[in-house]
């Protein structure tokens, strides 16, 4: 890692720690009328945009499941700790984001196990949820994940933010969510970050609140 990148990551971690303190003490935006719960999920962090993402979520009373890549968790453990401090849930999204269905069983196991270790070492706890990169899975991937105590989580709604979706389109995608469903979002796209306040208002207008994802059912439920 270059000195420049190391300094940038330290600055990001410091900013996110401050954000986490603010977010964790902020009053939830949806305490009054929750008629259902949905799972907001963000793939591919932690990254240089994580601080702004967590800040936006916290300011709008939202919590989310962060499907982190192991290599990024290992490189930026302070960001993982800050995600947790901000009230987010941390999950496994493989170590290097490969096409797992093209790998051997030992290779799949390495991708999953190294991520479990990286997240645990970073202070993110032991993940219970796993999302295969690209949503690609098969019996072998599911079996290996299960051996590590992980429930595989895909999604019900794809925001298409990874594909250049506009802020309007991302907000509209959240309007399709129903009770218990999970939406795919990403840590990175500027349009996703811009959509956060409107996502919060859209969910609130429909009586839907951000929930945790149950490892028993794979569906969003009320946070415990």
């Amino acid at each position: 890692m270059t000195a420049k990148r190391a300094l940038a990551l330290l600055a990001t971690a410091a900013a996110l720690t401050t954000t986490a303190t603010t977010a964790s003490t902020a009053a939830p935006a949806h305490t009054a009328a929750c008629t259902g719960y949905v799972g907001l999920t963000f793939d591919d962090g932690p990254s240089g945009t994580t601080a702004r993402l967590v800040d936006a979520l916290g300011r709008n009373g939202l919590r989310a499941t962060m499907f982190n890549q192991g290599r990024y968790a290992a490189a930026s453990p302070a960001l993982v700790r800050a995600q947790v401090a901000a009230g987010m849930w941390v999950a496994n999204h493989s170590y290097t984001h490969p096409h797992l269905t093209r790998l051997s069983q030992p290779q799949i196991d390495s991708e999953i196990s190294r991520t479990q270790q990286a997240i645990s070492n970073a202070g993110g706890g032991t993940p219970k949820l796993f999302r295969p990169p690209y949503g690609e899975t098969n019996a072998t991937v599911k079996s290996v994940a299960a051996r590590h105590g992980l429930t595989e989580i895909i999604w019900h709604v794809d925001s298409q933010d990874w594909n250049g979706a506009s802020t309007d389109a991302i907000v509209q995608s959240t309007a399709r969510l129903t009770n218990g469903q999970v939406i795919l979002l990403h840590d990175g796209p500027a349009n996703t970050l811009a959509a956060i306040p409107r996502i919060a208002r859209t969910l609130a207008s429909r009586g839907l609140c951000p929930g945790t994802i149950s490892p028993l059912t794979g569906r969003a439920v009320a946070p415990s």
Side-chain angles (χ1 to χ4, degrees):
M1 181 183 296
T2 66
K4 183 176 180 181
R5 175 168 170 77
L7 287 172
L9 286 173
L10 285 172
T12 301
L16 186 49
T17 299
T18 301
T19 295
T21 301
T22 301
S24 63
T25 57
H30 308 297
T31 56
C34 295
T35 60
Y37 293 88
V38 296
L40 304 177
T41 68
F42 292 85
D43 287 10
D44 296 342
S47 74
T49 60
T50 299
R52 286 177 290 163
L53 173 61
V54 171
D55 178 64
L57 290 168
R59 288 179 184 277
N60 288 278
L62 300 176
R63 298 176 72 185
T65 300
M66 319 303 280
F67 281 95
N68 286 341
Q69 290 187 37
R71 57 181 168 176
Y72 299 147
S76 305
L79 297 182
V80 177
R81 292 193 294 272
Q83 287 174 331
V84 174
M88 307 303 153
W89 300 284
V90 179
N92 186 320
H93 192 43
S94 81
Y95 202 84
T96 64
H97 206 273
H99 294 275
L100 292 178
T101 55
R102 303 177 187 175
L103 302 184
S104 67
Q105 183 170 317
Q107 289 172 319
I108 296 169
D109 189 277
S110 176
E111 284 285 332
I112 292 175
S113 63
R114 284 190 296 157
T115 303
Q116 290 292 90
Q117 191 63 56
I119 290 174
S120 178
N121 288 347
T126 301
K128 299 297 183 185
L129 306 177
F130 167 69
R131 172 170 288 158
Y134 314 104
E136 296 173 351
T137 189
N138 57 25
T140 303
V141 172
K142 291 179 180 178
S143 174
V144 173
R147 286 206 301 273
H148 288 281
L150 293 162
T151 299
E152 187 178 87
I153 305 296
I154 307 298
W155 54 82
H156 300 94
V157 176
D158 182 352
S159 71
Q160 291 284 312
D161 64 347
W162 56 272
N163 197 29
S166 67
T167 297
D168 285 345
I170 293 167
V171 173
Q172 289 165 9
S173 71
T174 63
R176 302 201 304 270
L177 287 167
T178 59
N179 181 40
Q181 289 191 332
V182 173
I183 186 169
L184 171 67
L185 297 152
H186 288 80
D187 180 335
N191 288 343
T192 302
L193 184 64
I196 298 300
R198 292 172 58 193
I199 288 173
R201 293 195 294 271
T202 297
L203 295 179
S205 71
R206 302 177 59 220
L208 294 173
C209 299
T212 188
I213 300 174
S214 168
L216 298 178
T217 65
R219 294 180 64 82
V221 297
S224 56

